[in-house]
Amino acid sequence: VPPSSRVDLQKRARSKWYTTAVVSRLKYVFNTKLRKYYSHAWNCNTTIYQEGRKLRSRYCNTRVCNVCTRIRTAKLMNGYVDQLMQLEGIEFVTLTVKNCIEDDLKCCVDQILKQFTLINRNIREKKGIKVSGIRKIEVTYNSFTNTFHPHLHLLVDKNSGSLYVDEWLRRNPDSNIKAQDVRKADKGSLAEIFKYTTKMVLRKNGELHFYLKPLNAILECLYKRRCFQPFGIVKMVSEEVDELDCVEYDDLPDDFGVPILWEWNECDWVYEGDTLTGYIPPEMEIKFIE
């Protein structure tokens, strides 16, 4: 494996900068159950230990942390894509219900996951079709209607997507038929399913908008839930971001044989006045909306 580059470190700095900005506010959302969770994210990668050309740090393993999300996405793709590519007739399926208000979000997600389990069992036991694939729960927020949109994305084999949609609409007659979707899976959809489980930020008129209370509601709802679930012959890949081995980089500042502790400071890691990555945040306003 070739060494990573300073560009990779700048991406990590950008992720750290975004994460620090949002969790520093999320920690103080009234009555949040996740204050310690957000503190763990705030402390993620605050110190990077350099020895020679190698770096190591501690990771928080939270879903609100962009640094850990990038690692988790790469890990899931590495673990699942090769398995999924071995299947035949793969389709990308979206199953949705009507948007709900915050008070109903947890119940709605519970019901969606229960319905999927029953549908999977029905297709396997009553229709005699042993489908393999993966499902992901995702929740987004609509700031115009102040409602939440929990939904499922599936990758299924044997061209069975329409079976899932038919069963879904039979059990959820109030769902919009046009909101359900089945399409042939390609590399793009294989990659798409492993991205975020919720959008942390919305871009509006050149500004970054963080909707704090809705984002907290989504994270509380998904806390300790298994967002990715394989079935059939697809083997499970852990979502956990474990402590990583030292990563080697090809263009680090010389440590002159003495280990260096790089400490996070606003937008980069610094040591004796030097910066590790040279990352400069975008010139746009961050707007936090309750």
Side-chain angles (χ1 to χ4, degrees):
V1 179
S4 299
S5 70
R6 187 76 68 91
V7 174
D8 296 319
L9 285 175
Q10 287 184 342
K11 291 179 180 178
R12 193 198 300 192
R14 180 183 61 193
S15 295
K16 173 66 176 170
W17 178 75
Y18 277 113
T19 299
T20 302
V22 68
V23 298
S24 62
R25 296 299 187 97
L26 280 172
K27 287 195 300 181
Y28 301 104
V29 170
F30 177 71
N31 214 26
T32 179
K33 301 174 183 177
L34 299 179
R35 189 160 286 120
K36 288 185 178 180
Y37 185 77
Y38 298 143
S39 293
H40 288 320
W42 192 90
N43 287 315
C44 183
N45 270 248
T46 53
T47 300
I48 294 180
Y49 182 82
Q50 177 184 347
E51 190 169 12
R53 295 169 62 192
K54 295 182 178 180
L55 300 180
R56 70 170 182 264
S57 187
R58 292 183 178 275
Y59 296 86
C60 66
N61 193 37
T62 67
R63 290 197 179 103
V64 72
C65 173
N66 283 11
V67 176
C68 289
T69 296
R70 289 180 65 239
I71 296 171
R72 183 179 296 108
T73 297
K75 179 179 179 181
L76 291 171
M77 287 184 65
N78 289 338
Y80 280 123
V81 170
D82 285 346
Q83 293 190 69
L84 292 167
M85 291 299 291
Q86 302 303 314
L87 304 177
E88 294 184 1
I90 308 176
E91 292 182 326
F92 184 76
V93 183
T94 301
L95 302 175
T96 74
V97 293
K98 286 185 176 180
N99 284 19
C100 65
I101 61 174
E102 180 178 337
D103 288 345
D104 296 335
L105 180 58
K106 183 180 182 301
C107 181
C108 186
V109 170
D110 287 340
Q111 188 66 15
I112 285 174
L113 295 177
K114 180 180 179 181
Q115 289 295 330
F116 172 76
T117 299
L118 294 174
I119 290 171
N120 227 17
R121 184 182 303 165
N122 179 279
I123 292 174
R124 182 180 68 248
E125 296 179 357
K126 293 187 177 181
K127 299 185 184 299
I129 304 173
K130 297 181 179 179
V131 180
S132 294
I134 187 171
R135 69 100 177 123
K136 181 184 77 167
I137 183 72
E138 185 176 307
V139 183
T140 54
Y141 172 68
N142 187 321
S143 61
F144 296 103
T145 60
N146 190 28
T147 57
F148 296 83
H149 179 51
H151 53 283
L152 291 177
H153 289 307
L154 314 176
L155 285 171
V156 294
D157 69 348
K158 300 180 180 177
N159 298 306
S160 57
S162 60
L163 291 177
Y164 283 88
V165 171
D166 290 345
E167 282 292 320
W168 185 262
L169 291 173
R170 185 173 69 83
R171 296 164 185 269
N172 300 278
D174 292 337
S175 294
N176 186 344
I177 295 177
K178 294 182 179 180
Q180 322 309 314
D181 187 58
V182 179
R183 63 186 66 183
K184 184 178 179 181
D186 54 23
K187 289 185 178 179
S189 52
L190 288 176
E192 183 69 24
I193 201 169
F194 297 112
K195 291 183 179 179
Y196 57 81
T197 50
T198 184
K199 291 182 180 179
M200 298 292 179
V201 59
L202 298 177
R203 293 177 182 267
K204 290 187 177 181
N205 301 321
E207 296 178 336
L208 299 179
H209 286 199
F210 288 97
Y211 291 87
L212 296 174
K213 288 184 178 179
L215 178 55
N216 177 72
I218 293 171
L219 290 167
E220 285 189 354
C221 179
L222 298 180
Y223 182 61
K224 291 190 175 180
R225 287 185 189 270
R226 184 175 293 159
C227 290
F228 295 88
Q229 177 67 56
F231 49 91
I233 64 172
V234 179
K235 295 181 180 179
M236 180 178 293
V237 176
S238 173
E239 294 182 46
E240 300 298 305
V241 177
D242 304 314
E243 289 296 327
L244 302 181
D245 294 331
C246 290
V247 179
E248 186 173 337
Y249 291 83
D250 58 10
D251 51 1
L252 290 178
D254 197 335
D255 68 352
F256 299 103
V258 179
I260 294 176
L261 287 179
W262 296 92
E263 299 288 348
W264 180 257
N265 182 17
E266 294 186 1
C267 63
D268 205 346
W269 294 272
V270 298
Y271 175 76
E272 294 186 349
D274 293 327
T275 59
L276 179 59
T277 76
Y279 174 70
I280 300 175
E283 293 184 2
M284 60 176 63
E285 184 179 352
I286 298 179
K287 200 167 184 179
F288 294 100
I289 303 165
E290 291 290 328

